[in-house]
Amino acid sequence: MFKKIVCLILAAALCAVGLISCSPAGGNDKNTESLSTGDNSASTDGYKRPPETFPPEEPKWEDTLDEPGEVTVLEREARDYIVGSWGGCTWGSMFYFSDWDDGGIWYQDVNNIQPTKLPLHNDALSDGSDDPFAQLKAACILVDEDATIKNGGAPVLIICGSFPIGYSEDTGIVYKGTMIGSFDTLTNKWTVISDDVEGEPMEMSMYRDTIFFVTATGGEDGYVLHKINRDGSGYSSMENEEPTKLSIGWVHNDVIYYVEYKTLSVCSCNLDFSDRHVLFDGTGVNYVKDVSYVTDDYIYYTVINADGEEDLYRRSLKDISKSEFLLEDATGGFYGDVYYYYSGFALYVLSSLNMETGETKTVYDITDDSDKITKSRYAYGDTYIICEFTYRGSDTSGMHYTCIDLVSGKEWLIPG
Amino acid sequence: MITRLILYELRKVFSSSFVKILALLLLLVNIVLCAYSSYTPYGPEEYVDRVLQIYYDDPQYFFSEYARLENEFEHLDPSSDEPSSAYGGGVYYDISLFDKVNEIVCADDIYHDKIDSVIMQVRGICSNYEKAGRTDNCVYRYNKYVLERYTYLYENVKLDGKPVKGWEQYFRYNADYFIVFILITVVSLRAALSDRTSGFYSIASTCRNGRARTAAAKLISALLLSAVIVVLFTAVTFTVSGIAAGGYSDFRNAAQSVYSLQLLPLRLSFGGALAVDLGLKLLSASLYCMILFAVIMILKQSVLSVGVGIGIMFLNYVAAGSNETAAGQWKFLNLWSVYYIDQYAARYRAVDIAGQSVGLTAVLIAIVVCVAAAAFIISLGLYAKNGIFSGIRISSRFTMPEKLRSMFRAKRRASKRVGSNSLVLYEIYKQRAVYIALAAIIVIKVIVTSDYYKPNNTATDTALKSYIEKIGGPYSAEKAAYINEEYEACLEIVSQFDTIQSDWWYGKISDEYYNQLFSRYMSALTDKDVLEYLVNRAEYLGELESRGIVGSFIYDTGYYAYMDQGVDWLLLLFVAVLCCRSYLYEHAKTQSGTSMLMVSNVTELGRKRLFRCKAAVSIMSSAFAWYAFKMIDLFFLMRSYEMPDMTSSLLSMPRYGETLFDLTISNYIIVTAVISLTGTLLLASICFCMGYLMRRALFVYAAATVVITVPYFAASTGVKAAGFFDLTALYDADRLYRLSPGAAPAPVYGICFWAVILFAAAAAIILSMRRAEGGELI
């Protein structure tokens, strides 16, 4: 009897397999071109939609660019202090960026450009809920250079942002506070460093093994500075006597330099947030905006001048009372000891000033094209710069990047 | 021989009226849920068909008309114009209908575009890995396989460009998982444990090969029954979905036509996908059946086994929703995901095992083989009379060494006998399985509650908290004026932003200034909703003041989270099972044909004491469970939320505006807690009495389910009168308090409600007591 049952089951299974495989639609016949066999099916071949006539075609901006080149990749040691970026960051020839329109974190190899951006987690099949970074709100990223070098050069990214935890009919997607994690591009492994810090992330940076980040919990005045080690240990936050907005500027020789906007003063403290004191008062007609860079000798900072534009100053750490004017109308940031800055609000000219040599260079000048193109959001490489640009007056959906080779001066497109 | 045993086991399970009635009920539930999920109310199908006909008649005309409509839509002024709806009969916009038809007729192009973008990305990833010389790792291997598989699909799959009917609804339906698995649980229990009370167990244990063959027959019969259940429910789901959707489109069309299966890694028709879906369902169900069978064999206890079974179901369901970033593709190796093709096979899935990219199906097969082997070994090994150790004697050829067995016997003899003559303790001992289940339920409760009381970190709530910090406390005209001014200022910023953006775009204002304005605009967008809420609140408090009541501005997010938690079904489940079961097992007949109740009923003292003892244990246990559950709620509430000022008037919240009493919030919370406790105890009394008055478990559980759930669902669907018989409203005291506040004084409804419930409970208790005292029931 048992054998009969087994035979019956086998026969049923064989019939089922036969049904599936024998059906003209699901057969394994490689010559079968179509799953559709109905004679009355109207083929869509030959009835493709006519080409779009609206809007009229505009001149292609791609035509103004060079053919993709190859940037020089330097081998160097890890920097002590790395500033996180909301736009993108680089390591070697790899460029990592977050997409503000479609969400997610993506990458391109500048020396091996692909026709489309590639997902950070290297899984092209994932989308929506399947994509770990798709719904990440505000993603600040940086390359953990020390871990990357130990990883054989495969970048290890530190990512900070708000991850969605649900959906509310009243408020839309509900986000968790601030989550920080590291992503190993070699193993594709995401490791959560911290996921229970209240408030929205505002900025992030890394000093040796320690990650510093600022969250906003109570609107404009409720900024809190936190720190946590790379391995998730040693979390602590700086307690403010009264609510304030603050920004971490730089960390050098185990001293944190930050701006406290309530009193508009530049302050410093130890890595454990002890020994806090005001370095200098930043109030006045020209009030301090940011600490941009600190060396053994100087503290570089920007101030907002009477015209509402940024000027670059520095003060000697040995005699903090005296300030030295460096550049006027020069909004920008440091990469190594080079200050990249643009003048005016339209970002038409990007220049650089090497603090060591005092040499000034023009990276690009698009003043002549100013009615067409604006550029912003930079990611700095050792020998190149990546800019995002929009094409004024046309469809600006999607993002487009250009890579500017600082050695050859060539500029080419990176599809984003 | 084993075939006969299997047939005998099947006959035993089929002979149970409980199983048959439960199967019928669950089948009905499945039909209702499936019909509800699949039914699509009358939509634009008729108009879509008309536009589709235009395409069939003249495709050139269709596309030119579509281009015209797109152009028209692009140049539409959204503030004054409305899109045309000549084809949509004035009901649906033409552009929407043409979009829909374009999606249908160009389905093949859309599919190939999607696969093309996947292939392009995968090629890029592989190229980068090859260039970096990192080809000896899982990511590269995974992408190479994806490239190969999807290139094959790109070249071989073709969608027929016809409307898809029915299949979307069938694959979308996913409520049958719990229904089918509950039935499998009951059937497996029946197959595994039915012999323990009938006496066959003892006979089988003494026979040569009796244990092993009986155990194998039981497991095989449970597996066969699981397969029958899955096939039956799938057939019903398929039929109902088809009827609800108005039939199925051609089953030979590619399964990729359904959006959820667009990335299906197999070249399958709908018929093939249906077969694969059924195969996956069978695999998942048999896996569950084997695990559960092994659990039953270990525990040898029905209630506990059901608890574990439900736990397995629940955990697998939770695992399916776990975080992708942490779990990766491993998270799809759970019973829930495997049960549904659009979960498990929605795309190609693989996991990293020692640097190799291993397809999820290979891992799944390995797991099934291991689980099957383990289940057979455990079931065969443990199905024996004298416990685990003698159970190892699978056949006469393998027995545990005498020395080893004597060690256990010696231990057993050496253990000191401890005990008590307390009826209460014995009652608790007898219900130990339910108390162990309570521990499991508490764990689930903690998980659910910690998830429910997550801190509200939304910008809106932060803004609300910030405003309440400024204006919190008793209402005053100045505070109302301040809120109104803030709201006006917010609206001003929002309304001006378009102009500001335009000015910035054309270079009239600087970036710095624009950034400042943009920052204010973003903050105003959040504040606008909060301020609108507060303006309405201020108006309401102003009206209260005119009635002579001083309300307050309070931060009520945490309060509402607590009060809107609703009915705690886990607690009700525990109380109902505990109390219904209290007398049930006393009715169970022993091998001598008598029951413990028959023995204890011989004397009046026996009847009374047993009744009192059982009633006391049931009530005390229910009260304890209520307390534990409330404490869990309060712990997570206080951890995540700030509570409003407890001395403020309850009427400060508009939802209580039409209730009669002006209580403080703290007093109200105490009142609701007392009502909730009373409700729980009343439910416990009713269930206890039902368990006593009705002998058959099926009737007791059915009656308890009807009494608890029917009024609740009737009330939920809007039958107001059902609210007066809704026991769950007593637990959710806030709902009771607010019952029909606008129509008549709330207490009137409250009193009516209480009268009905008290009457029912008192009647049941009196009847039970009379019976316990030996009097006539009627």
Side-chain angles (χ1 to χ4, degrees):
Chain A
M1 187 63 183
F2 180 66
K3 284 177 188 168
K4 282 180 193 168
I5 291 175
V6 172
C7 287
L8 207 64
I9 293 167
L10 273 176
L14 283 173
C15 284
V17 171
L19 261 178
I20 299 160
S21 57
C22 291
S23 81
N28 290 327
D29 185 1
K30 288 190 176 177
N31 295 324
T32 309
E33 284 295 317
S34 167
L35 289 176
S36 164
T37 56
D39 293 341
N40 56 348
S41 65
S43 166
T44 57
D45 292 345
Y47 293 118
K48 302 283 182 198
R49 286 188 58 195
E52 293 281 354
T53 48
F54 290 96
E57 282 187 16
E58 298 205 22
K60 286 186 176 176
W61 42 264
E62 295 100 315
D63 297 343
T64 62
L65 300 172
D66 300 311
E67 284 294 305
E70 189 154 316
V71 298
T72 312
V73 176
L74 303 179
E75 283 196 14
R76 60 169 171 80
E77 290 180 348
R79 289 174 291 166
D80 264 357
Y81 186 69
I82 306 151
V83 180
S85 163
W86 297 100
C89 61
T90 65
W91 175 260
S93 62
M94 303 304 286
F95 167 49
Y96 299 93
F97 56 98
S98 55
D99 188 329
W100 292 357
D101 293 329
D102 300 337
I105 300 178
W106 308 81
Y107 75 93
Q108 279 274 16
D109 183 345
V110 175
N111 284 346
N112 187 28
I113 287 172
Q114 300 303 319
T116 177
K117 61 189 173 187
L118 307 176
L120 176 64
H121 54 296
N122 288 310
D123 188 357
L125 292 175
S126 68
D127 60 351
S129 62
D130 216 12
D131 180 350
F133 305 109
Q135 294 174 64
L136 187 65
K137 180 190 178 190
C140 189
I141 49 182
L142 59 82
V143 175
D144 181 345
E145 296 184 355
D146 187 41
T148 298
I149 290 167
K150 285 175 185 160
N151 205 29
V156 176
L157 301 180
I158 305 287
I159 300 167
C160 162
S162 290
F163 281 79
I165 51 167
Y167 186 82
S168 153
E169 283 191 5
D170 301 331
T171 55
I173 296 172
V174 178
Y175 287 92
K176 203 169 180 168
T178 294
M179 182 188 267
I180 294 182
S182 70
F183 186 84
D184 184 340
T185 57
L186 181 66
T187 59
N188 246 26
K189 193 180 171 195
W190 167 251
T191 310
V192 174
I193 295 170
S194 165
D195 69 344
D196 54 0
V197 179
E198 195 185 345
E200 288 183 24
M202 303 307 291
E203 56 185 68
M204 176 183 65
S205 55
M206 190 171 188
Y207 179 70
R208 295 181 184 152
D209 287 345
T210 309
I211 299 159
F212 291 94
F213 59 105
V214 174
T215 58
T217 48
E220 273 289 292
D221 293 333
Y223 281 44
V224 180
L225 172 59
H226 314 260
K227 78 179 180 82
I228 191 164
N229 291 337
R230 181 195 280 145
D231 60 4
S233 64
Y235 170 80
S236 66
S237 61
M238 188 162 86
E239 287 182 14
N240 301 322
E241 285 174 10
E242 53 183 302
T244 180
K245 183 181 174 185
L246 55 85
S247 168
I248 180 166
W250 206 267
V251 184
H252 185 70
N253 282 344
D254 294 349
V255 176
I256 303 170
Y257 298 88
Y258 64 98
V259 182
E260 208 253 79
Y261 291 98
K262 190 94 177 175
T263 54
L264 280 170
S265 48
V266 175
C267 310
S268 70
C269 66
N270 292 336
L271 290 180
D272 59 359
F273 305 132
S274 64
D275 193 22
R276 290 162 65 176
H277 60 270
V278 176
L279 286 177
F280 57 90
D281 185 358
T283 52
V285 178
N286 299 342
Y287 61 89
V288 69
K289 184 184 174 255
D290 207 358
V291 171
S292 306
Y293 185 47
V294 180
T295 63
D296 287 344
D297 303 319
Y298 292 102
I299 176 168
Y300 294 84
Y301 61 99
T302 51
V303 298
I304 303 291
N305 62 28
D307 298 329
E309 282 151 0
E310 285 181 41
D311 298 339
L312 181 69
Y313 286 79
R314 75 176 176 186
R315 291 185 188 222
S316 167
L317 286 171
K318 286 161 194 159
D319 182 6
I320 202 80
S321 59
K322 290 178 187 168
S323 67
E324 182 186 344
F325 174 78
L326 295 176
L327 286 169
E328 187 182 8
D329 185 11
T331 307
F334 276 88
Y335 184 79
D337 52 10
V338 180
Y339 185 70
Y340 291 95
Y341 62 97
Y342 59 86
S343 306
F345 62 81
L347 327 181
Y348 293 151
V349 184
L350 181 69
S351 312
S352 69
L353 168 63
N354 190 316
M355 294 298 162
E356 201 177 332
T357 60
E359 187 188 0
T360 304
K361 274 185 183 174
T362 300
V363 178
Y364 70 71
D365 184 347
I366 52 165
T367 313
D368 294 341
D369 297 330
S370 62
D371 58 337
K372 288 182 181 173
I373 299 172
T374 60
K375 298 197 177 193
S376 61
R377 290 184 72 191
Y378 308 108
Y380 304 105
D382 293 323
T383 57
Y384 63 98
I385 286 180
I386 288 171
C387 316
E388 182 211 348
F389 62 86
T390 53
Y391 197 56
R392 185 178 285 185
S394 73
D395 179 12
T396 55
S397 60
M399 293 196 293
H400 310 288
Y401 295 96
T402 51
C403 174
I404 301 172
D405 190 332
L406 296 174
V407 181
S408 67
K410 280 188 172 180
E411 184 178 340
W412 63 88
L413 177 74
I414 303 175
Chain B
M1 175 65 185
I2 197 163
T3 319
R4 281 189 192 172
L5 275 173
I6 292 169
L7 287 174
Y8 171 67
E9 293 296 337
L10 289 175
R11 254 202 307 273
K12 268 197 297 186
V13 174
F14 278 123
S15 68
S16 163
S17 53
F18 174 72
V19 172
K20 280 188 276 193
I21 292 172
L22 184 72
L24 200 65
L25 277 175
L26 291 177
L27 205 60
L28 285 173
V29 171
N30 190 49
I31 289 170
V32 172
L33 290 176
C34 182
Y36 180 74
S37 155
S38 308
Y39 175 68
T40 39
Y42 179 73
E45 287 79 12
E46 185 193 342
Y47 300 103
V48 169
D49 287 346
R50 277 188 211 163
V51 178
L52 199 60
Q53 195 55 49
I54 293 172
Y55 168 78
Y56 289 144
D57 293 344
D58 186 353
Q60 295 278 26
Y61 173 75
F62 170 81
F63 283 121
S64 62
E65 189 66 355
Y66 185 31
R68 182 188 69 75
L69 288 169
E70 275 192 318
N71 184 33
E72 179 195 286
F73 187 72
E74 215 163 272
H75 295 93
L76 206 71
D77 179 1
S79 58
S80 55
D81 302 337
E82 205 175 334
S84 63
S85 66
Y87 295 97
V91 185
Y92 297 99
Y93 295 138
D94 292 343
I95 186 71
S96 309
L97 296 174
F98 273 73
D99 272 342
K100 179 75 189 160
V101 171
N102 184 57
E103 259 177 44
I104 294 169
V105 298
C106 296
D108 193 54
D109 291 341
I110 293 168
Y111 170 73
H112 281 90
D113 285 349
K114 171 79 180 168
I115 301 298
D116 188 40
S117 76
V118 168
I119 290 172
M120 215 192 299
Q121 283 191 355
V122 173
R123 274 202 189 117
I125 293 165
C126 290
S127 164
N128 278 334
Y129 272 76
E130 281 160 11
K131 187 168 174 286
R134 300 197 333 241
T135 53
D136 188 24
N137 64 49
C138 171
V139 180
Y140 177 74
R141 290 191 183 102
Y142 165 78
N143 278 291
K144 277 305 256 191
Y145 184 80
V146 170
L147 181 61
E148 190 186 314
R149 178 107 291 263
Y150 283 86
T151 305
Y152 168 77
L153 292 172
Y154 183 84
E155 288 164 359
N156 291 285
V157 171
K158 190 156 175 62
L159 278 56
D160 73 359
K162 286 183 178 174
V164 175
K165 269 176 80 179
W167 298 103
E168 195 98 45
Q169 285 87 338
Y170 170 74
F171 289 120
R172 190 179 59 204
Y173 178 63
N174 59 7
D176 54 342
Y177 168 81
F178 283 105
I179 296 171
V180 167
F181 279 45
I182 284 170
L183 196 53
I184 290 174
T185 310
V186 172
V187 165
S188 304
L189 265 175
R190 193 83 195 169
L193 293 180
S194 61
D195 292 340
R196 294 183 72 81
T197 50
S198 69
F200 181 78
Y201 185 71
S202 317
I203 300 164
S205 307
T206 56
C207 298
R208 184 173 177 269
N209 298 327
R211 282 190 286 270
R213 286 198 175 168
T214 309
K218 281 176 180 295
L219 181 50
I220 292 168
S221 64
L223 282 170
L224 284 174
L225 284 166
S226 302
V228 170
I229 290 167
V230 168
V231 172
L232 177 69
F233 275 76
T234 306
V236 167
T237 302
F238 183 72
T239 311
V240 175
S241 295
I243 293 169
Y248 285 97
S249 56
D250 191 351
F251 73 94
R252 291 168 299 184
N253 192 12
Q256 279 84 351
S257 304
V258 170
Y259 181 74
S260 60
L261 295 176
Q262 201 176 31
L263 291 175
L264 181 77
L266 303 167
R267 184 186 172 218
L268 289 175
S269 62
F270 277 127
L274 185 65
V276 171
D277 183 53
L278 180 61
L280 285 170
K281 282 180 166 50
L282 286 170
L283 201 65
S284 173
S286 19
L287 202 59
Y288 173 71
C289 179
M290 287 187 284
I291 296 169
L292 185 69
F293 205 86
V295 168
I296 297 169
M297 282 296 146
I298 293 167
L299 298 174
K300 293 193 170 77
Q301 223 294 337
S302 54
V303 175
L304 211 53
S305 301
V306 169
V308 173
I310 290 171
I312 293 170
M313 272 184 249
F314 184 76
L315 284 176
N316 276 273
Y317 177 68
V318 171
S322 61
N323 191 347
E324 176 88 15
T325 48
Q329 298 294 318
W330 286 103
K331 82 167 204 173
F332 292 96
L333 279 176
N334 62 77
L335 295 173
W336 162 273
S337 301
V338 174
Y339 197 77
Y340 297 109
I341 189 174
D342 65 339
Q343 295 284 320
Y344 177 77
R347 46 162 285 195
Y348 175 70
R349 303 189 191 283
V351 289
D352 181 355
I353 298 178
Q356 301 297 319
S357 169
V358 183
L360 215 57
T361 305
V363 182
L364 181 66
I365 289 168
I367 289 174
V368 170
V369 169
C370 291
V371 168
F376 267 91
I377 290 168
I378 292 172
S379 305
L380 268 59
L382 299 187
Y383 188 78
K385 190 180 178 183
N386 297 324
I388 292 172
F389 302 106
S390 54
I392 294 170
R393 184 179 178 275
I394 292 171
S395 76
S396 57
R397 271 164 292 184
F398 177 74
T399 51
M400 188 185 282
E402 180 57 32
K403 205 175 171 184
L404 207 61
R405 275 194 284 172
S406 62
M407 263 171 58
F408 294 111
R409 275 205 293 272
K411 269 191 182 172
R412 233 180 267 164
R413 273 197 297 272
S415 61
K416 193 182 170 186
R417 191 175 185 283
V418 287
S420 161
N421 291 326
S422 163
L423 262 180
V424 171
L425 287 180
Y426 184 54
E427 195 56 38
I428 292 170
Y429 172 74
K430 278 192 287 187
Q431 292 265 41
R432 62 192 180 283
V434 184
Y435 291 108
I436 294 169
L438 174 64
I441 288 177
I442 283 179
V443 172
I444 297 171
K445 166 77 182 171
V446 168
I447 295 168
V448 171
T449 312
S450 64
D451 186 59
Y452 177 76
Y453 286 114
K454 274 188 175 146
N456 190 340
N457 286 330
T458 55
T460 314
D461 195 63
T462 310
L464 176 66
K465 203 191 289 182
S466 151
Y467 275 110
I468 293 295
E469 275 168 14
K470 287 177 192 161
I471 60 161
Y475 167 84
S476 69
E478 290 76 29
K479 287 179 182 175
Y482 166 74
I483 286 296
N484 275 322
E485 278 169 21
E486 288 279 302
Y487 183 53
E488 292 298 328
C490 244
L491 290 180
E492 182 73 16
I493 292 170
V494 173
S495 66
Q496 284 185 357
F497 188 69
D498 281 347
T499 320
I500 291 165
Q501 202 165 30
S502 169
D503 286 352
W504 172 72
W505 192 246
Y506 291 105
K508 291 180 186 169
I509 56 173
S510 74
D511 278 12
E512 193 63 36
Y513 183 51
Y514 172 77
N515 285 340
Q516 281 177 21
L517 294 176
F518 183 73
S519 171
R520 284 175 62 191
Y521 168 71
M522 292 306 283
S523 134
L525 272 186
T526 311
D527 288 358
K528 187 167 77 71
D529 295 339
V530 174
L531 286 165
E532 192 176 347
Y533 172 79
L534 286 173
V535 164
N536 291 335
R537 180 61 63 90
E539 274 175 22
Y540 165 73
L541 293 176
E543 281 170 26
L544 270 191
E545 195 185 37
S546 64
R547 282 158 51 189
I549 302 167
V550 181
S552 301
F553 287 101
I554 53 172
Y555 174 64
D556 47 18
T557 309
Y559 175 84
Y560 280 133
Y562 178 65
M563 283 301 174
D564 293 343
Q565 199 184 356
V567 182
D568 200 326
W569 291 102
L570 282 172
L571 177 67
L572 295 194
L573 176 74
F574 167 74
V575 169
V577 170
L578 174 87
C579 299
C580 287
R581 204 171 170 272
S582 184
Y583 256 108
L584 276 182
Y585 55 83
E586 306 290 359
H587 290 302
K589 292 216 168 72
T590 60
Q591 289 178 33
S592 62
T594 56
S595 68
M596 274 310 295
L597 200 61
M598 288 167 79
V599 178
S600 72
N601 276 356
V602 173
T603 62
E604 190 183 336
L605 200 61
R607 282 197 297 273
K608 277 185 185 173
R609 280 195 180 170
L610 191 66
F611 182 86
R612 283 178 202 155
C613 165
K614 280 181 180 293
V617 169
S618 299
I619 297 292
M620 282 191 305
S621 302
S622 303
F624 169 76
W626 175 87
Y627 178 75
F629 275 54
K630 277 288 169 201
M631 284 300 109
I632 292 169
D633 284 343
L634 287 176
F635 172 77
F636 285 106
L637 172 73
M638 302 309 280
R639 204 181 69 148
S640 304
Y641 288 99
E642 280 177 28
M643 291 304 282
D645 178 10
M646 289 291 170
T647 56
S648 304
S649 164
L650 182 67
L651 299 181
S652 302
M653 287 172 276
R655 74 150 64 163
Y656 302 102
E658 295 186 45
T659 52
L660 269 192
F661 300 116
D662 182 14
L663 300 168
T664 62
I665 293 175
S666 58
N667 285 342
Y668 180 67
I669 288 176
I670 294 168
V671 167
T672 51
V674 171
I675 294 174
S676 168
L677 174 63
T678 320
T680 310
L681 298 185
L682 275 173
L683 174 73
S685 313
I686 290 174
C687 289
F688 172 77
C689 294
M690 283 194 298
Y692 184 57
L693 294 171
M694 292 184 257
R695 288 177 180 219
R696 300 201 62 174
L698 178 65
F699 293 148
V700 174
Y701 288 126
T705 309
V706 168
V707 166
I708 296 169
T709 57
V710 170
Y712 171 80
F713 286 118
S716 307
T717 52
V719 183
K720 214 169 188 179
F724 302 123
F725 304 96
D726 182 8
L727 268 174
T728 62
L730 269 176
Y731 180 81
D732 179 13
D734 187 55
R735 183 151 52 94
L736 175 65
Y737 188 77
R738 292 184 286 115
L739 192 65
S740 312
V748 174
Y749 284 93
I751 290 163
C752 292
F753 181 89
W754 276 68
V756 170
I757 300 296
L758 278 172
F759 177 78
I765 292 167
I766 290 166
L767 279 174
S768 306
M769 283 177 71
R770 283 182 63 187
R771 188 171 150 181
E773 286 163 6
E776 288 299 315
L777 278 180
I778 300 165

